[in-house]
Amino acid sequence: HGDTPEVQALAERIAQTHALPVPWVRRQMAHAVRLDSLSALVLPPATPSAKNWRAYRERFVEPRRIAAGLAFWQQHAQVLQRAEQRYGVPAELVVGIIGVETYYGRHMGNFRLIDALSTLALNFPTEHPRHAERSAFFQAELGHFLAQAHRAGPSALNAKGSYAGAAGWPQFMPSSVAQWAVDFDENGRIDLVRSPVDAIGSVANYLKSFGWVSGMPTHYPVTPPVEPGPLETLLLPDILPSFSAERMVELGATLDAAGQRHVGPMALVELFNGGQTPSYVAGTENFYVVTRYNWSSYYALAVIELGQAVAREMPNKP
C-alpha cells in the first residue's frame, strides 16, 4: 500500500483509538500487500442466484462433515460439556457452527489478514451499494486486528484467514475476538487458530452474549397458512420472532404439540428451494440468536441440523 497520505491518516486514527505507536501502525499498513482480487469477492453478484435450502444443506449436512464432527466431539467432549455448563449453549450447536465455518479447522482461510483487512479498509470497491458503511467497518476491523497483533507479537502479523478478515476455527472477525473470545484452555492467551478449546469456549460465549436461552428449542415444524394475506402478515417481520404460538395458529399456521406449547415469540422462517416449494420452520428467539453469528436463516438451520446429525452419531449420548 505504501506510506500514502491515506495510509498515514488511517494509521493515526487506529493508533489513537487503540493506544498504539503511530510509527508501528504506519509500518504495518505500508507493508501490507493490496489484494485486487478481493473486489470481485465482496461485490454483490450481478445476477443473484436463486436461493436453494436443499442444495445449501447438502453442502454441510453430509457424511464426511458429520464424521469429522463426530471425531471433533469425541476428542473435545469434556471441553464441550464444560462450555455447556458455563454458558448454557448445547455442545451440538457449537459443533454445528465450527463444522459449517471451517470443517473442523480444515478450511480456516489462506489470505494474510493484514493484507485482506488493509485492502478492504483502504480500497473497498466504490461501486458497492454500501461502500461508506463497509469501508468504515473494515477500517475498524483493521484497528482491532493491529491492536491484537501488537499484543501477541511479530508472528501474529502473518496470521491467515478468510478474504473478509475472519480467522481461526470459529472464523471470528477481529472485533468479535476483542469482545467475545475467551481463554478457555486457561493458558494465559486467546488463540482461535491453534486452540480448538479457546474456539469452543468463544463460540459458546458469543451465543450466550447474544441472548441464548438454555433449554429452549431453536425451532419447530410448521405448515404455513394457505391464505396469501395471513402468510404475508407472518412473513413481514422476516426472521425476527414476533408472534406467539396462539397468534400463529389464529393466522392459519399449523404447529405440532410442542410448538403450540412454546412460550415466547416465534417467526415464520421461509427457506426457498429454487423452483420447488419453499421449506418453513417456526424459529424461536434461540433461532434468532444463531443468526447473529451469520445473518442468514439458511446458515442457522444448516448449523443446527449438522449439530443434530453429529449428535445422533454420538455413542452413549444421554
Side-chain angles (χ1 to χ4, degrees):
H1 282 277
D3 204 5
T4 62
E6 206 187 356
V7 165
Q8 290 170 21
L10 181 55
E12 277 175 37
R13 272 211 314 280
I14 286 173
Q16 202 173 359
T17 304
H18 294 279
L20 297 168
V22 177
W24 182 85
V25 176
R26 272 174 66 172
R27 200 161 59 244
Q28 306 320 319
M29 287 177 60
H31 289 149
V33 177
R34 179 174 164 173
L35 305 174
D36 291 320
S37 61
L38 298 195
S39 277
L41 295 172
V42 295
L43 282 171
T47 52
S49 56
K51 288 185 170 175
N52 189 326
W53 159 241
R54 291 193 184 109
Y56 184 89
R57 182 187 188 278
E58 276 168 20
R59 278 169 41 203
F60 299 108
V61 189
E62 52 85 28
R64 281 170 313 195
R65 208 173 293 237
I66 293 167
L70 182 59
F72 176 80
W73 193 332
Q74 288 173 323
Q75 189 182 348
H76 299 289
Q78 284 173 308
V79 177
L80 285 157
Q81 195 179 356
R82 183 158 62 93
E84 192 164 330
Q85 283 161 351
R86 184 173 306 179
Y87 300 109
V89 177
E92 67 184 51
L93 190 60
V94 176
V95 170
I97 283 183
I98 293 175
V100 169
E101 287 294 339
T102 58
Y103 201 150
Y104 305 103
R106 288 163 175 77
H107 302 166
M108 291 199 261
N110 289 316
F111 292 87
R112 237 176 40 128
L113 294 172
I114 181 84
D115 299 337
L117 289 166
S118 297
T119 299
L120 296 173
L122 292 160
N123 307 105
F124 198 83
T126 45
E127 61 270 37
H128 193 284
R130 290 158 59 204
H131 169 261
E133 178 196 338
R134 300 306 285 163
S135 277
F137 170 77
F138 284 110
Q139 288 173 13
E141 293 297 335
L142 176 63
H144 282 292
F145 172 75
L146 288 169
Q148 287 153 21
H150 189 259
R151 280 198 304 274
S155 66
L157 289 159
N158 289 317
K160 291 185 171 174
S162 78
Y163 69 82
W169 287 74
Q171 293 289 286
F172 269 29
M173 292 298 289
S175 60
S176 293
V177 174
Q179 277 177 278
W180 297 294
V182 293
D183 172 20
F184 207 54
D185 61 13
E186 295 169 348
N187 69 350
R189 65 173 189 276
I190 292 166
D191 187 345
L192 300 183
V193 175
R194 280 181 288 273
S195 171
V197 176
D198 285 357
I200 288 166
S202 300
V203 169
N205 183 47
Y206 182 100
L207 294 169
K208 180 180 191 285
S209 303
F210 278 88
W212 179 267
V213 179
S214 184
M216 178 193 285
T218 50
H219 64 287
Y220 300 96
V222 64
T223 308
V226 183
E227 297 296 319
L231 180 62
E232 197 180 335
T233 302
L234 283 172
L235 292 174
L236 200 61
D238 195 22
I239 56 176
L240 188 67
S242 309
F243 304 97
S244 66
E246 195 180 20
R247 182 71 185 126
M248 285 182 99
V249 172
E250 271 173 22
L251 284 162
T254 309
L255 289 162
D256 67 1
Q260 287 172 40
R261 286 194 303 271
H262 181 79
V263 178
M266 291 187 283
L268 181 64
V269 178
E270 182 175 53
L271 303 137
F272 294 106
N273 286 309
Q276 312 287 297
T277 314
S279 300
Y280 295 89
V281 296
T284 67
E285 288 163 299
N286 272 356
F287 186 90
Y288 189 71
V289 170
V290 182
T291 67
R292 300 307 79 194
Y293 203 98
N294 180 332
W295 210 285
S296 154
S297 48
Y298 297 78
Y299 170 86
L301 200 54
V303 156
I304 292 161
E305 293 200 0
L306 174 61
Q308 288 171 342
V310 177
R312 284 196 292 272
E313 301 293 318
M314 275 293 283
N316 66 34
K317 197 179 172 288

